[in-house]
Amino acid sequence: MKTTKEFAVPPVVFPSGGNPSAGSNNIQQRRVATAPFQPPRSSTSSIPFMSFDIGSAAASSSSGALFGGPIGSGGSIPGGTSFEDEEPLLDELGIHPDQIWRKTKSILNPFRANPAVHKDSDLSGPILLYMSLCLFQLLAGKIQFGVILGWIVVSSIFLYVVFNMLAGRNGNLDLHRCTSVVGYCLLPVVILSAASLFVPQGGTFRFVVAGVFVLWATRVCTALMVALADGGDEHRGLIAYACFLIYTLFSLLVIF
């Protein structure tokens, strides 16, 4: 004969929707205050641990000083060097305005070029002259940024190869110095581009003026190339012819 067992079932109580405060009280009771983060301690370790509170650490770091000192009070950067001892930004980038100005002035006199100031080659001045030439061409309605940049690169490589082939083993002209000289000698072409804005299109006078500026650039570039590198004095005529071709191409961009 089967026997039946009776189990006591607790009553199910559903929360009432009319008393919202009861539900919020239950939620607040379930919230347990969390303690700051504490790493587990080992029973065999003798190193003391300190509690770490993320909120307090963020607040203290935001109110702390930058680079070990308050901003504007002459603090120091990592390594023990103060901000006052740092070099100017232009010097760190390799841009020296006084040196660029001296090299530019040396190009203005085609009969007395000073090769001493061009021993330290740089590309800051040539880039400035390139941008000036492109700006004057843009004012004339010619967008030739890529063409002029490409011709500068090709002309520098061409003159570098020609000079070292003529000089042979004695040639010590590097590409960086060659590009610097070619770029600085663009100054007559830049002046020609600026003057062509006020000269009528066509006519013999325009070609005569362009020829004068081409001879100016050719003479200065040849003198600097021969003075700065060894082995070029014997082939001055051929180097001058290569320079003449280079600056004739640039002048054709201006007059046409």
Side-chain angles (χ1 to χ4, degrees), residues 21 26 30-31 38 51 56 65 68 70 112 129 151 159 163 186 194 202 204 207 217 223 234-236 239 252 256:
S21 61
N26 294 333
R30 293 179 183 178
R31 292 180 180 175
Q38 295 182 354
S51 61
S56 62
R112 295 184 61 183
L129 294 175
W151 282 17
L159 189 58
F163 187 94
L186 275 177
T204 309
F207 289 94
E234 300 176 357
H235 309 281
R236 181 184 290 267
I239 296 174
L252 291 177
F256 288 109

Side-chain angles (χ1 to χ4, degrees), residues 52-222:
F52 178 75
D53 190 359
I54 299 178
S56 62
S60 62
S61 62
S62 61
S63 61
L66 183 63
F67 294 122
I71 300 177
S73 62
S76 60
I77 61 176
T81 306
S82 62
F83 287 107
E84 287 78 6
D85 298 336
E86 286 294 309
E87 296 182 358
L89 180 60
L90 292 179
D91 293 343
E92 292 184 357
L93 296 177
I95 302 175
H96 306 282
D98 54 344
Q99 185 179 11
I100 295 175
W101 175 241
R102 289 197 303 269
K103 291 182 179 181
T104 305
K105 287 195 303 182
S106 67
I107 305 295
L108 292 176
N109 190 353
F111 301 100
R112 295 184 61 183
N114 187 8
V117 298
H118 290 271
K119 289 184 178 180
D120 296 330
S121 58
D122 70 283
L123 297 181
S124 304
I127 291 176
L128 181 62
L129 294 175
Y130 157 73
M131 295 300 297
S132 302
L133 179 59
C134 293
L135 177 61
F136 289 126
Q137 290 294 93
L138 184 62
L139 293 177
K142 305 173 185 178
I143 304 177
Q144 298 174 340
F145 290 87
V147 175
I148 296 176
L149 180 60
W151 282 17
I152 292 176
V153 174
V154 173
S155 301
S156 302
I157 297 175
F158 169 72
L159 189 58
Y160 165 75
V161 172
V162 169
F163 187 94
N164 285 288
M165 288 181 63
L166 293 175
R169 295 181 179 180
N170 298 326
N172 58 351
L173 179 66
D174 56 282
L175 185 58
H176 189 271
R177 179 175 298 178
C178 182
T179 307
S180 176
V181 173
V182 171
Y184 274 106
C185 292
L186 275 177
L187 179 62
V189 182
V190 175
I191 299 176
L192 173 64
S193 179
S196 64
L197 297 175
F198 308 98
V199 177
Q201 295 287 338
T204 309
F205 178 73
R206 191 178 181 90
F207 289 94
V208 172
V209 173
V212 171
F213 283 98
V214 168
L215 292 177
W216 176 7
T218 301
R219 180 179 178 84
V220 176
C221 186
T222 304

